[in-house]
Amino acid sequence: MSWVKVLGGLLGAAALLGLGVILGHFAIPKGANLPVSSDSVSRDLDPEILEAVMGQLDASRIRENLRELSRKPHLASSPRDEELVQLLLQRWRDPESGLDSAEASTYEVLLSFPSQGQPNRVTIVNSTGNVLFSCRQTEANLTGEQEGPDVVPPYAAYAPPGTPQGLLVYANRGSEDDFKELEARGIQLNGTIALTRYGGVGRGAKAVNAAKHQVAGVLVYTDPADINDGRSLPNETFPHSWHLPPSGVERGSYYEYFGDPLTPYLPANPSSFRLDPATASGFPPIPIQPIGFEDAKVLLCNLQGPSAPAAWQGALGCDYKLGPGFQPDGAYKGSQVNMSIHNRLELRNSSNVLGIIRGAVEPDRYVLYGNHRDSWVHGAVDPSSGTAVLLELSRVLGTLLKKGTWRPRRSVVFASWGAEEFGLIGSTEFTEEFFSKLQERTVAYINVDISVFANATLRAQGTPPVQSVIFSAAKQIPAPGPGGLSIYDNWIRYFNRSSSVYGLVPSLGTLGAGSDYAPFVHFLGVSSMDIAYTYDRSKTSARIYPTYHTAFDTFDYVDKFVDPGFSSHQAVAQTAGNVLLRLSDSLFLPLNVSDYSETLRSFLQAAQQDLGALLEQHNISLGPLVAAVEKFEGAAVALGQRISALQKGTFDPLQVRMLNDQLMLLERTFLNPRAFPEERYYSHVLWAPRTGPVATFPGLANACSTAMNTGPGSDAWAEVQRQLSIVVAALEGAAATLRPVADL
């Protein structure tokens, strides 16, 4: 990939950083008209440049970007997806507003599609096989954009083909506990079709859980109670409001892991070893198909059996029964549900597009900014709202670059990821291909997937060191709308927490695996964040914006309901752009490692309060963990003091470089690739999936949850000790990384 060559060719000069002028000279390409001076190595964030960029980010341009991006459906690997690859390359190679270089790289990945010749069907059939009712195979064409050869019909990506038929049962959200509850009530699940609703557990987990109880097939729908605040009538939903219409169906990937399914831990290049699709893991074990709530109502409101628990009820206008089977005195008495699923697996080419701005002083330090490009249908909100922001931010920076007004201290890499919707494929393949280089050189990763869910407030997620830089950016930018508040002050009104260090501050969410930040934080150990605008939680219970992954997520939907005027899109562009410039241009990296201390102390206190007595019963001491947390806290404070002292006096550029590397590399110290052998790609001992109920270190929480019902000396309790040792070793390693480099 040429971006590696572009950056890599400059690395030989890195050892001469102390001389500054030499490195600065070799980092700037021919034709660049920036002056090279003796103080270039001390170049810091320029407030005037920051202010200029904030002022030039244009809401109307973002709106026009979105109009073009969402004009046609652009499913991964489709012709329109490739057209957008070319659009990005054209923009990033523009002579007046382009970047230093832009290239596309292609991977050969396994995707899943419904059969065009045999559409998926869900029907109610009687004992003689006659069809009494058929669920919709497409969504209603309400605006003229929901039909056409490029609109993929609703399906569950990676669900296997099959034609199961059986009595219908209602299984709430399809969790393991939900199926156990049905069995506890005496409901026979063997050979049934389970109707489930979105939420609670991941898409693929619904089929995995169902298969454990011998369920033959699974249907999934979105209940109006979960997405529409109970509204379900056609005149209450899109196109009359932003709510999901009755025929709306959420598409999605049901693959358990992320990355290309056939090349785990290897880039999906043509020469790479591939698993056999027939034996590869992570696919749903039984057929599964999503349907709209208008069809779910027909199925659910005709069920017989006991009433579902109160927590399982929804907003379809009837008493939800559990089944199995339909009411004996109804239209479907004695009938069963038949699923006819004909999905297929197919190797397809999918591209990432990278745009590069080379750093003037530290070209071998990368600040990455990414957004995925592919969508399920038009994808105006997901992901094109983020791509529209990406294009506008890169235009403004590219224009300054071409004018010779600005060049970042560190290299900036803009990325448009392919095939995210199928399981974060493009970003994962990128991290696999350049694992070592990215671990050595990546300062931080900024993710802007959906830039605007709604227009109430900022929502940011990230690892603790990025909290301070996001706060600094948010304080500088005015919030959209009246009131004169900054984005920070508006944010704190909606999402806040009490910090033992700072008092009341906005809540920074944690990063799971919902977007392209996942391989960066869990696999590479790169400080990462995700930035968006979202809704007022006090006014809606929607788990996400209502037309998510449907054919109703269109430009007009955004323009009319989500962000009229595009001021929230502009606010996200300004926030993310401000963060990007602070990370790329600041002499001292604006990563506050001390902010990890609050997280670690919180995890420790939870372990002491909720697990301490149990661990003592098994002669397991938390003493080493207490000592490790204290070591980290002391090392983080001492590093902060060294940085403050260096900022106040004269300094050797090499000292700054060493301190910045300590800040950059801290996140890597929390990686242990053997900590969670059952999990693919998860190696961050602080942010791996937590299945145990205690909000502490995930490995410890999970191990204790498993061991709780086993006897002393069991393998499960040995695993608790192992997980405790893993965390202690990681924290001690982190503390060692923060101590002065000369202290071996």
Side-chain angles (χ1 to χ4, degrees):
M1 185 182 293
S2 59
W3 81 274
V4 177
K5 296 177 183 177
V6 169
L7 294 171
L10 301 168
L11 301 185
L16 301 175
L17 179 64
L19 299 177
V21 178
I22 298 175
L23 181 56
H25 173 75
F26 284 116
I28 299 174
K30 293 180 179 179
N33 54 4
L34 277 175
V36 179
S37 63
S38 59
D39 64 350
S40 65
V41 74
S42 302
R43 180 185 302 165
D44 206 347
L45 178 68
D46 186 337
E48 292 184 2
I49 291 292
L50 191 61
E51 185 175 350
V53 171
M54 298 301 100
Q56 291 172 30
L57 292 166
D58 188 337
S60 65
R61 286 181 180 269
I62 297 173
R63 182 176 183 272
E64 290 311 306
N65 285 342
L66 184 65
R67 185 195 299 275
E68 174 60 26
L69 292 164
S70 60
R71 185 164 54 86
K72 298 178 183 178
H74 45 287
L75 190 66
S77 78
S78 68
R80 178 58 177 171
D81 184 31
E82 180 56 33
E83 287 178 12
L84 294 184
V85 168
Q86 298 307 314
L87 182 149
L88 283 151
L89 289 173
Q90 178 187 0
R91 297 280 187 97
W92 288 347
R93 291 171 176 171
D94 186 277
E96 295 183 355
S97 60
L99 313 179
D100 285 328
S101 62
E103 300 293 339
S105 61
T106 301
Y107 298 101
E108 189 177 39
V109 300
L110 188 73
L111 304 182
S112 167
F113 303 98
S115 170
Q116 293 181 333
Q118 288 183 289
N120 295 340
R121 294 187 68 197
V122 177
T123 57
I124 298 176
V125 296
N126 63 17
S127 58
T128 61
N130 293 326
V131 174
L132 304 183
F133 173 79
S134 294
C135 293
R136 297 186 66 104
Q137 293 175 297
T138 60
E139 291 157 303
N141 190 18
L142 300 180
T143 64
E145 300 164 288
Q146 288 75 43
E147 287 183 357
D150 297 331
V151 177
V152 67
Y155 77 112
Y158 298 108
T163 55
Q165 180 173 312
L167 297 175
L168 186 70
V169 297
Y170 172 53
N172 192 31
R173 302 187 187 278
S175 70
E176 176 69 16
D177 286 343
D178 290 337
F179 286 107
K180 287 180 178 178
E181 175 68 18
L182 290 175
E183 289 187 330
R185 290 172 176 252
I187 294 174
Q188 297 297 317
L189 296 176
N190 187 25
T192 59
I193 304 297
L195 176 62
T196 65
R197 58 206 269 189
Y198 275 117
V201 298
R203 299 184 192 101
K206 299 177 192 295
V208 171
N209 295 333
K212 291 177 183 177
H213 296 270
Q214 290 75 53
V215 171
V218 178
L219 301 175
V220 192
Y221 80 100
T222 302
D223 199 283
D226 302 326
I227 204 77
N228 280 356
D229 298 313
R231 294 176 179 86
S232 61
L233 299 177
N235 64 355
E236 297 177 317
T237 58
F238 183 79
H240 305 289
S241 77
W242 88 318
H243 295 298
L244 180 70
S247 68
V249 183
E250 178 183 323
R251 299 150 180 81
S253 174
Y254 286 68
Y255 178 57
E256 183 179 355
Y257 307 117
F258 50 88
D260 173 49
L262 301 186
T263 58
Y265 298 103
L266 294 171
N269 296 321
S271 62
S272 290
F273 169 78
R274 281 176 167 74
L275 301 173
D276 182 350
T279 57
S281 62
F283 300 135
I286 56 177
I288 185 167
Q289 173 70 15
I291 61 174
F293 68 75
E294 70 175 357
D295 290 329
K297 180 175 182 177
V298 174
L299 300 176
L300 190 49
C301 293
N302 282 284
L303 272 181
Q304 66 173 348
S307 292
W312 293 26
Q313 298 292 330
L316 291 180
C318 65
D319 179 34
Y320 291 14
K321 306 286 189 180
L322 298 177
F326 295 110
Q327 298 167 7
D329 56 350
Y332 306 122
K333 63 180 179 180
S335 298
Q336 297 185 340
V337 171
N338 177 272
M339 298 174 61
S340 183
I341 308 302
H342 303 284
N343 300 335
R344 70 188 192 280
L345 297 173
E346 188 174 334
L347 283 175
R348 290 279 191 95
N349 288 333
S350 179
S351 299
N352 293 335
V353 188
L354 298 179
I356 315 299
I357 303 177
R358 289 186 295 275
V361 182
E362 299 181 75
D364 61 331
R365 290 292 177 263
Y366 314 150
V367 179
L368 271 71
Y369 180 118
N371 156 264
H372 76 93
R373 181 184 64 257
D374 64 301
S375 66
W376 286 111
V377 194
H378 295 88
V381 177
D382 182 11
S384 299
S385 65
T387 312
V389 165
L390 168 69
L391 286 172
E392 174 61 2
L393 179 57
S394 61
R395 180 196 68 83
V396 170
L397 295 180
T399 300
L400 294 176
L401 183 74
K402 294 301 184 183
K403 288 180 177 179
T405 306
W406 166 83
R407 179 170 289 279
R409 178 184 181 88
R410 303 175 185 90
S411 294
V412 173
V413 181
F414 289 109
S416 170
W417 308 119
E420 186 269 358
E421 295 292 7
F422 287 84
L424 320 182
I425 289 178
S427 55
T428 302
E429 300 314 300
F430 176 75
T431 59
E432 289 170 335
E433 183 166 14
F434 301 108
F435 178 85
S436 296
K437 183 178 292 290
L438 293 170
Q439 270 208 325
E440 292 166 2
R441 302 170 186 174
T442 305
V443 169
Y445 175 66
I446 303 167
N447 194 69
V448 181
D449 182 338
I450 296 171
S451 69
V452 179
F453 291 84
N455 57 6
T457 179
L458 189 73
R459 184 217 69 179
Q461 301 166 297
T463 54
V466 306
Q467 174 179 269
S468 60
V469 68
I470 296 174
F471 284 2
S472 295
K475 289 175 180 178
Q476 190 176 358
I477 302 163
L485 296 176
S486 68
I487 284 180
Y488 180 92
D489 291 331
N490 185 62
W491 182 13
I492 208 170
R493 294 167 58 212
Y494 291 94
F495 301 104
N496 59 66
R497 68 180 181 89
S498 179
S499 164
S500 59
V501 178
Y502 306 110
L504 192 69
V505 295
S507 297
L508 183 74
T510 58
L511 296 174
S515 189
D516 291 299
Y517 49 73
F520 287 93
V521 64
H522 297 300
F523 184 46
L524 292 182
V526 170
S527 293
S528 302
M529 70 196 81
D530 185 79
I531 297 172
Y533 237 70
T534 193
Y535 31 77
D536 181 351
R537 286 288 185 185
S538 69
K539 294 182 178 179
T540 179
S541 61
R543 62 182 181 87
I544 198 166
Y545 73 96
T547 65
Y548 174 67
H549 286 188
T550 73
F552 305 107
D553 181 2
T554 61
F555 173 79
D556 286 341
Y557 179 78
V558 175
D559 200 33
K560 187 174 181 180
F561 299 115
V562 176
D563 188 25
F566 280 70
S567 59
S568 295
H569 283 78
Q570 182 183 40
V572 172
Q574 291 172 325
T575 305
N578 195 300
V579 170
L580 175 67
L581 284 169
R582 289 173 184 274
L583 288 167
S584 67
D585 285 13
S586 296
L587 179 61
F588 291 88
L589 282 177
L591 299 174
N592 188 354
V593 297
S594 286
D595 284 341
Y596 244 128
S597 297
E598 253 192 294
T599 298
L600 298 179
R601 180 59 61 175
S602 171
F603 282 3
L604 174 61
Q605 289 173 347
Q608 290 172 319
Q609 293 169 9
D610 298 327
L611 299 175
L614 178 66
L615 293 172
E616 282 184 14
Q617 293 174 15
H618 293 268
N619 298 314
I620 299 174
S621 172
L622 288 175
L625 183 60
V626 173
V629 170
E630 291 173 349
K631 276 185 188 178
F632 179 89
E633 291 171 336
V637 169
L639 179 65
Q641 292 171 343
R642 292 201 304 278
I643 292 173
S644 296
L646 205 56
Q647 288 173 325
K648 293 173 183 175
T650 58
F651 51 81
D652 179 342
L654 188 58
Q655 288 180 302
V656 178
R657 172 78 165 197
M658 288 190 295
L659 282 169
N660 281 341
D661 280 357
Q662 288 175 281
L663 299 173
M664 178 184 78
L665 294 173
L666 171 66
E667 205 78 58
R668 321 289 199 268
T669 65
F670 296 119
L671 298 184
N672 186 323
R674 290 184 171 83
F676 313 105
E678 73 285 359
E679 300 281 0
R680 189 176 293 180
Y681 296 109
Y682 289 105
S683 55
H684 201 300
V685 302
L686 304 182
W687 305 120
R690 180 172 56 82
T691 57
V694 180
T696 185
F697 304 96
L700 180 62
N702 300 346
C704 284
S705 180
T706 301
M708 202 170 294
N709 297 319
T710 66
S714 68
D715 290 345
W717 282 109
E719 177 63 13
V720 171
Q721 292 179 311
R722 189 180 81 91
Q723 288 295 338
L724 185 58
S725 296
I726 285 170
V727 173
V728 169
L731 297 184
E732 289 179 340
T737 295
L738 298 182
R739 286 195 286 269
V741 175
D743 294 354
L744 299 179

